[in-house]
Amino acid sequence: MSWAASEAARKGVELLIVHVSDVVRPPAVSSSAVVTVMMESADYGLELLRDAAAVVAGSHPAVKVSTILRTGKPADVFLELGTAQTLLVVGTNGERRLMAALAGSVSHRVAAHAGCPVVVIPHHERVLSAHHQVVVGVITPLAGHETLRFGFQEASQRNADLVAVCAYGTFSRSARDPILRQLAEVREHEQQELLDALAHLQDEFPTVHVQARLVDEPVVDALCLAATDADLLIVGCRYDDAHRASRLGPVAAELLHSAPCPVAVVGLLHTAVVSGR
C-alpha cells in the first residue's frame, strides 16, 4: 500500500483502496451461521480499510483516498475495477510462476487479464528505498514501443535514470565460426534498432538519462540482475489485452514472482495512466 500511496502522490491522482472478502458458504452450514460469518468478515474488512486510509492520510496527507469493500473473488473484482486509465497495484505472496499459475494467484490473474498497467509488489518488500533507476525489459525494439514509453514516463516523474535491457540470447562465442560471425552482425543490427527506438522517445523526454544494454544471457536472469537496484522493472506483454488465455508471455510471468523490485506489466493496448490504485 505504501508504494501505491507514493505513486498516487507522485502523479497527483486519487488512491482507491480495495478489500475483497471471499467468504464462501460451506455445505451443511446453517444460514444464520453464514450470516454471522459474513457480518464479521465485513466488519473486519471495514476496519482494515479504515486503518489503511489512516496510514495513507498520515504519510501522504495530500492524496485523496477512497475505499471499497466487496465480496467475491479478489481477482475478478480488481479486473472489474481496472480500466485503461487505471493503474492496478497488487501484492504477491512469493509463489514461483508455476505454483502461482496452478494456484491461480490473484497477482498473476490480474496481471494476465487486466486491461490496464498492473504493478506487482514483491512479498519481501517492506521498505522500498529510492534508487532513482527504472529498468525496462525490451523483448524486441520494434515491439517494445509502448513499454518504453511507459518507462520514460515513470523515469521522468521519478527523476530517475532509464535502463533499457534487451536480451537476444547467445551471440558470437567464437570468432572462427562463420555462423557466429553472422550472429554478431545481427547483434549490431539489433543494437542499432534499440538505440533508434530510444532516440525517438528521448526527444519527448529530454531530461531522462538513458542507458541501452543489449545482453547475451537468459532474459529473466538479465532483467533480475539489472533490477537489483531499481525502483521499478517494466515489462511488456506478448499478446494484446483482449487475449483470452493470458496477455503475458513466459518472461513476464516468471518475473512477477522472481524480480527483486516492483514489476509493472504494460499491455499492448496501454494508454496513459491518469488515476490510481
Side-chain angles (χ1 to χ4, degrees), residues 202-270:
Q202 183 79 78
D203 292 339
E204 295 184 44
F205 303 90
T207 62
V208 176
H209 179 262
V210 180
Q211 301 177 40
R213 298 180 187 173
L214 193 67
V215 297
D216 184 12
E217 58 189 286
V219 62
V220 171
D221 294 343
L223 290 174
C224 284
L225 179 61
T228 301
D229 293 320
D231 300 299
L232 184 65
L233 170 62
I234 302 170
V235 293
C237 295
R238 171 169 289 187
Y239 308 102
D240 65 43
D241 294 349
H243 194 265
R244 187 170 183 177
S246 171
R247 64 180 184 169
L248 301 178
V251 171
E254 174 67 24
L255 287 168
L256 290 180
H257 306 280
S258 60
C261 70
V263 179
V265 176
V266 181
L268 298 180
L269 300 183
H270 162 69

